[in-house]
Amino acid sequence: MAMPITRVLIANRGEIALRIIRACHEEGLEAVAVYSDADRSAPYVRAANAAVHIGPPPAAQSYLVMDKIIAAAQATGAQAIHPGFGFLSERAAFAARVAEAGLVFIGPPASAIQAMGDKTEARRRMQAAGVPVVPGAMAAVTDPAEATRVAAALGYPVLVKAAAGGGGKGMRVVTRPDDLAGALTSAASEAQKAFGDPAVYLEKFIERPRHVEIQVLADHERTIHLGERECSVQRRHQKLLEEAPSIAVDPELRERMGQAAVAAAKAVGYRSAGTCEFLLAADGSFYFLEMNTRIQVEHPVTELVYGVDLVREQLRIARGMPMTVAPGPLSPRGWAIECRITSEDPANGFLPSTGRITYLKAPAGPGIRWDSGVETGDEVTLFYDSMLAKLIVHGASRSDAIARMERALAELVVTGVATNQPFHLRLLADPDFRAGRIDIQFLERRPELIVAAPDDELVKLLAVVAALAEEERRQRQKPAVALDDQVTSAWLVRGRAEGLR
Ligand code: MV4
């Protein structure tokens, strides 16, 4: 390596920027933040050793401008750039530009990002590497007559997918031949709009699968997997809750999926942390979907059950050091669940809710991790995505983790902006969720979990009263008298709310 790494620029914001800054400090590295006008006083900016202003709030004029990010690294003497997730994290051109500037990109080689970015190319390479992919075409289709032949051979239903795809854009389920030509046209035009590339192809449509992904870690010597995450609880391609392990994966399946993910990573010369997404069908068959060539939002659940700090490993690998994970068999310990806390209002069609966070009280206690980018007084705007924080719990079993998450969510207080906290409480109480009967269509079948319940506001109000009572006790340094001693947890209060109905 040209220059040893002592200082890392984090090309991101919010909770993931803070998460990475903390890992840098634990590794003895200095951290440089970048910030837009909207993030001037954000917690991650204060946590960094230095911070560089990169422009106005819109990401297109700040966090997405490669020149500004690279210039900020050079101006502050950073030798490496961690992209986090979103923004520039999966732009092969950015990874290449960083390298050309003589800096280290903390992630995979640009060639691996490139190879996994084109979905049809990735499918071909994965199939060649022996990784199971969904049956379907290996190249883009344009001619409707040819598409009709391919679809007949696959059997309906089929799925029209964008070659440049991701996130479900440019996707159409087709159940009968008559609908195929129209689906090709509309998917292609959506793909053109979303990705600037109208190419589409066909796959067999897998009905009611789970979304299970495998964490991969590769250093200069070894490529290993750290088991699966269950990500089926999603709405419109936005994950809301993730778990590790998956209730649907036993040690034998874990090893087969893990080996498939390792083969996928090796096939593209992968290094750093990455994730292979699979569809897991009800019959236990699994199919590679795509590889996310970045650290993911939900990485903490894997960290908790495998006892590994994935960002630390990324930093080590970027420095040319070996991963700390010892060779030999690994298995998950206990159960971890993550709830994404978003400023979205379930009472208002999950539309983003903006405003000032007038009060924030994070849950605490054993087995609880609160990865947040905001604090009391912060402004929530529409410039960035709506995830405020991740609440992650670890317990001995799935039911212990669920109980712990329910307790933690009941303790969480956010006022000033609406959040999806009531949704999470309803989900965790649901008998199907508790039994692990989930797949990617679960929330579509259960709209009542999404829609606000009549007592959401009452429960929240009582939780706020409980938190304020506690705050008052703490500030006065004497036992509470006014708001009796029983009002100590929102959970107790929730019981009262139920009693009131
Ligand atoms: C599929 C599928 C069913 N069958 N492919 C959605 C986004 C893209 N990453 C792949 N996606 C899917 N591909 C076949 N052949 C169902 C989905 C899908 C999905 C996958 C993962 C997580 C959430 C999803 C929600 C809807 C559809």
Side-chain angles (χ1 to χ4, degrees):
M1 196 173 301
M3 226 192 302
I5 297 173
T6 58
R7 191 174 295 161
V8 175
L9 180 130
I10 294 96
N12 216 299
R13 62 177 300 282
E15 71 83 20
I16 192 60
L18 187 54
R19 161 78 185 88
I20 297 165
I21 290 166
R22 287 169 168 160
C24 286
H25 290 166
E26 289 176 19
E27 278 298 287
L29 299 168
E30 291 182 331
V32 180
V34 293
Y35 63 95
S36 73
D37 290 329
D39 288 329
R40 199 171 285 279
S41 58
Y44 81 90
V45 175
R46 275 179 277 121
N49 301 83
V52 181
H53 177 243
I54 51 165
Q61 295 168 56
S62 52
Y63 299 102
L64 287 170
V65 183
M66 299 186 197
D67 288 334
K68 289 186 176 182
I69 303 290
I70 290 170
Q74 288 171 331
T76 52
Q79 303 90 359
I81 297 182
H82 196 307
F85 46 67
F87 294 133
L88 297 170
S89 61
E90 295 193 272
R91 301 267 192 94
F94 180 62
R97 291 271 311 273
V98 171
E100 281 158 24
L103 303 167
V104 176
F105 181 77
I106 303 181
S111 56
I113 302 176
Q114 181 76 49
M116 289 299 187
D118 180 324
K119 304 304 158 188
T120 49
E121 187 196 337
R123 262 169 74 75
R124 282 191 297 273
R125 289 179 73 149
M126 293 307 108
Q127 200 177 42
V131 179
V133 298
V134 187
M138 281 301 142
V141 283
T142 42
D143 175 26
E146 188 207 332
T148 309
R149 282 192 295 278
V150 174
L154 289 172
Y156 287 85
V158 296
L159 190 59
V160 180
K161 278 191 176 178
K169 289 214 182 75
M171 254 179 34
R172 293 288 183 284
V173 182
V174 182
T175 53
R176 50 196 202 112
D178 286 355
D179 298 338
L180 190 55
L184 287 174
T185 318
S186 69
S189 96
E190 195 173 309
Q192 172 66 42
K193 276 192 213 108
F195 313 112
D197 176 359
V200 295
Y201 70 103
L202 290 179
E203 277 181 13
K204 175 84 188 157
F205 179 59
I206 310 295
E207 293 180 77
R208 284 201 179 199
R210 288 172 186 262
H211 180 196
V212 174
E213 59 188 29
I214 300 283
Q215 178 68 52
V216 170
L217 192 62
D219 64 14
H220 302 260
E221 300 264 309
R222 299 153 59 214
T223 302
I224 66 164
H225 74 85
L226 292 164
E228 76 284 3
R229 294 186 284 262
E230 165 72 68
C231 305
S232 297
V233 179
Q234 57 87 35
R235 179 176 182 270
R236 300 183 184 168
H237 304 287
Q238 186 198 32
K239 294 168 185 170
L240 290 164
L241 174 149
E242 305 96 343
E243 313 178 41
S246 165
I247 199 167
V249 177
D250 63 15
E252 184 267 333
L253 179 57
R254 178 170 303 126
E255 208 37 43
R256 280 194 294 128
M257 293 184 78
Q259 287 315 322
V262 166
K266 285 182 173 170
V268 297
Y270 205 83
R271 213 179 301 144
S272 193
T275 299
C276 290
E277 291 189 357
F278 293 94
L279 292 177
L280 175 59
D283 66 2
S285 57
F286 62 88
Y287 307 95
F288 175 88
L289 272 184
E290 55 194 74
M291 184 168 190
N292 299 318
T293 55
R294 58 169 194 269
I295 191 78
Q296 284 189 263
V297 172
E298 60 272 30
H299 76 276
V301 291
T302 298
E303 296 188 320
L304 293 181
V305 296
Y306 281 89
V308 172
D309 179 334
L310 288 165
V311 177
R312 175 192 188 198
E313 300 298 336
Q314 288 189 299
L315 295 172
R316 286 178 59 91
I317 293 164
R319 302 171 88 181
M321 296 155 76
M323 64 175 88
T324 66
V325 185
L330 301 170
S331 54
R333 190 184 67 83
W335 211 279
I337 301 178
E338 169 177 287
C339 288
R340 297 189 187 194
I341 308 300
T342 64
S343 54
E344 288 177 350
D345 188 356
N348 190 18
F350 263 67
L351 281 177
S353 166
T354 60
R356 189 173 298 279
I357 298 174
T358 47
Y359 183 73
L360 189 151
K361 178 172 171 262
I368 290 183
R369 173 169 163 182
W370 174 250
D371 278 22
S372 171
V374 295
E375 56 194 19
T376 297
D378 284 356
E379 194 75 39
V380 178
T381 68
L382 288 177
F383 290 112
Y384 312 112
D385 90 31
S386 62
M387 193 176 75
L388 300 178
K390 306 183 301 206
L391 176 55
I392 312 119
V393 302
H394 188 209
S397 63
R398 188 169 187 269
S399 56
D400 284 2
I402 290 172
R404 180 158 280 165
M405 183 63 88
E406 288 185 306
R407 193 274 290 172
L409 280 167
E411 211 173 286
L412 169 66
V413 181
V414 183
T415 62
V417 295
T419 76
N420 62 355
Q421 180 183 8
F423 157 77
H424 282 300
L425 281 166
R426 277 193 293 278
L427 173 65
L428 292 162
D430 181 78
D432 283 333
F433 175 79
R434 294 175 86 91
R437 288 188 291 265
I438 48 176
D439 59 63
I440 63 173
Q441 276 129 44
F442 175 66
L443 289 181
E444 268 170 64
R445 291 194 299 274
R446 304 297 307 281
E448 77 278 13
L449 293 175
I450 303 281
V451 174
D455 73 346
D456 280 358
E457 282 307 308
L458 179 58
V459 169
K460 182 173 155 182
L461 193 68
L462 292 172
V464 172
V465 170
L468 291 177
E470 189 196 306
E471 187 88 344
E472 189 205 39
R473 277 202 294 283
R474 202 183 14 249
Q475 291 197 358
R476 291 186 184 199
Q477 298 273 308
K478 65 177 190 188
V481 281
L483 279 158
D484 82 57
D485 285 328
Q486 288 160 4
V487 190
T488 51
S489 88
W491 193 238
L492 269 180
V493 178
R494 184 179 163 83
R496 290 185 176 188
E498 278 159 3
L500 285 175
R501 276 200 305 240

